[in-house]
Amino acid sequence: MSRRAPGPAEAELARLRGWLRAAKGPRTFGSLARRASAAKMPVAACTLRRAMDGRLPTLYTVRAFARGADADEQEAARVWAVAAAAAHPAPVRQPVAYVPGRGITTLAGLAGAMKRVRAEAGGPSLRRLAGSPEAAGRISRSALHNALTGLRLPSEQLLAGFAAACGAGEETTRALLAARARILAGPQPRPRAWTAEQARYQMLRDLGVPYWMRNEDINTLGLGVDPDFPVRRRPSPARRTAQRHRRRRSQRRRTAANSAATNASLRNEEANTGQG
């Protein structure tokens, strides 16, 4: 009975396993894990062991395997990329035409834009997005989940890798990065909205109309101002002077009353002291 010839995916995965087996040599998985962790790529021994079971490991695992075995990490990444392309061929899909708008200023809005980009790409799973050759190991499933649910602001590297994995163009990538920058900058102050009365008052000031003129006098100037629209004007100079004098007289009366009350209390204390 003839055996079925291995396909391209099985052949590339077998080549990756052979490369890892040759790099491992006589070392144990525990020693590889300790050496990789000491080289600032922490990994578990069981994870390295699962990389040899026939399934496609992650790029991080392959790089940690190579670092623990003192092998060439660039060659390991190249062999992994070939195996990943054969194991998960990119589906034929139309380029993403959706470009997020400039109104995205919140985490929820950015998450909604990322969900739409993912939907237009055919709805690939998080595992496929994280393991796609276009992402080149720049994103993880947990980080993607946090970004798509609006739990955490994604990094620029994650957004660029996500857009590349979804087959989005440069315009979509720039729009996602610009939305992230707007979220970091925070809400911008809105321009002040003038009422009709304030707008008319500013127009009169720009025309050089004195602020003490009455509405009837303004209407005689022929400035094209609606005569039925009253404007609250500043008081005339004479009225402002009278208001200022009233405020000063009121302040002097309060000062005199306070002084009288203070003197009366002092006299009472002196009298009580003399009697004692």
Side-chain angles (χ1 to χ4, degrees), residues 6-13 86:
E10 290 81 358
E12 294 299 334
L13 289 175

Side-chain angles (χ1 to χ4, degrees), residues 111-274:
M114 293 179 65
K115 289 179 181 179
R116 183 167 176 181
V117 171
R118 179 187 177 190
E120 292 201 1
S125 63
L126 298 184
R127 180 185 293 274
R128 181 178 292 274
L129 288 175
S132 63
E134 293 83 0
R138 292 176 291 179
I139 56 180
S140 62
R141 285 181 294 171
S142 60
L144 273 177
H145 173 75
N146 292 334
L148 290 171
T149 54
L151 296 178
R152 184 172 299 177
L153 181 67
S155 62
E156 294 183 356
Q157 183 179 6
L158 188 143
L159 282 177
F162 170 78
C166 291
E170 295 183 359
E171 188 176 1
T172 302
T173 304
R174 287 195 299 268
L176 290 175
L177 294 176
R180 180 183 182 274
R182 286 193 298 271
I183 295 173
L184 287 177
Q188 300 296 324
R190 295 184 178 181
R192 180 183 177 184
W194 282 17
T195 62
E197 181 178 348
Q198 292 170 334
R200 182 172 185 248
Y201 179 71
Q202 183 64 33
M203 180 190 67
L204 294 176
R205 290 191 59 184
D206 295 340
L207 293 175
V209 178
Y211 61 85
W212 60 80
M213 289 190 66
R214 298 177 300 177
N215 289 331
E216 305 85 58
D217 300 331
I218 294 175
N219 297 334
T220 61
L221 298 178
L223 300 176
V225 181
D226 186 8
D228 297 330
F229 188 82
V231 177
R232 289 182 296 179
R233 311 292 294 173
R234 294 182 63 184
S236 64
R239 187 172 180 181
R240 294 175 62 190
T241 302
Q243 292 175 351
R244 185 167 58 251
H245 289 331
R246 283 198 298 270
R247 287 195 298 268
R248 289 178 179 176
R249 287 195 299 268
S250 178
Q251 184 177 3
R252 285 196 294 267
R253 285 195 296 268
R254 287 195 299 268
T255 303
N258 293 335
S259 299
T262 302
N263 294 333
S265 62
L266 291 175
R267 287 194 298 269
N268 292 335
E269 290 179 0
E270 292 176 357
N272 294 333
T273 303

Side-chain angles (χ1 to χ4, degrees), residues 16-201:
L16 176 61
R17 290 197 303 274
W19 189 94
L20 294 175
R21 190 177 297 108
K24 174 179 176 294
R27 303 181 184 89
T28 63
F29 292 106
S31 64
L32 291 178
R34 287 191 296 270
R35 291 167 62 91
S37 300
K40 298 182 179 181
M41 286 196 73
V43 66
C46 59
T47 302
L48 298 179
R49 186 178 293 105
R50 283 197 299 267
M52 309 282 291
D53 62 0
R55 292 177 296 180
L56 179 68
T58 62
L59 178 59
Y60 180 88
T61 302
V62 174
R63 290 184 58 191
F65 202 112
R67 185 169 297 187
D70 291 332
D72 189 358
E73 293 186 28
Q74 295 184 354
E75 178 66 17
R78 189 186 64 80
V79 175
W80 176 87
V82 175
H88 302 296
V92 179
R93 57 173 180 255
Q94 297 294 330
V96 176
Y98 168 67
V99 178
R102 297 186 177 182
I104 300 176
T105 56
T106 60
L107 280 176
L110 181 58
M114 293 179 65
K115 289 179 181 179
R116 183 167 176 181
V117 171
R118 179 187 177 190
E120 292 201 1
S125 63
L126 298 184
R127 180 185 293 274
R128 181 178 292 274
L129 288 175
S132 63
E134 293 83 0
R138 292 176 291 179
I139 56 180
S140 62
R141 285 181 294 171
S142 60
L144 273 177
H145 173 75
N146 292 334
L148 290 171
T149 54
L151 296 178
R152 184 172 299 177
L153 181 67
S155 62
E156 294 183 356
Q157 183 179 6
L158 188 143
L159 282 177
F162 170 78
C166 291
E170 295 183 359
E171 188 176 1
T172 302
T173 304
R174 287 195 299 268
L176 290 175
L177 294 176
R180 180 183 182 274
R182 286 193 298 271
I183 295 173
L184 287 177
Q188 300 296 324
R190 295 184 178 181
R192 180 183 177 184
W194 282 17
T195 62
E197 181 178 348
Q198 292 170 334
R200 182 172 185 248
Y201 179 71

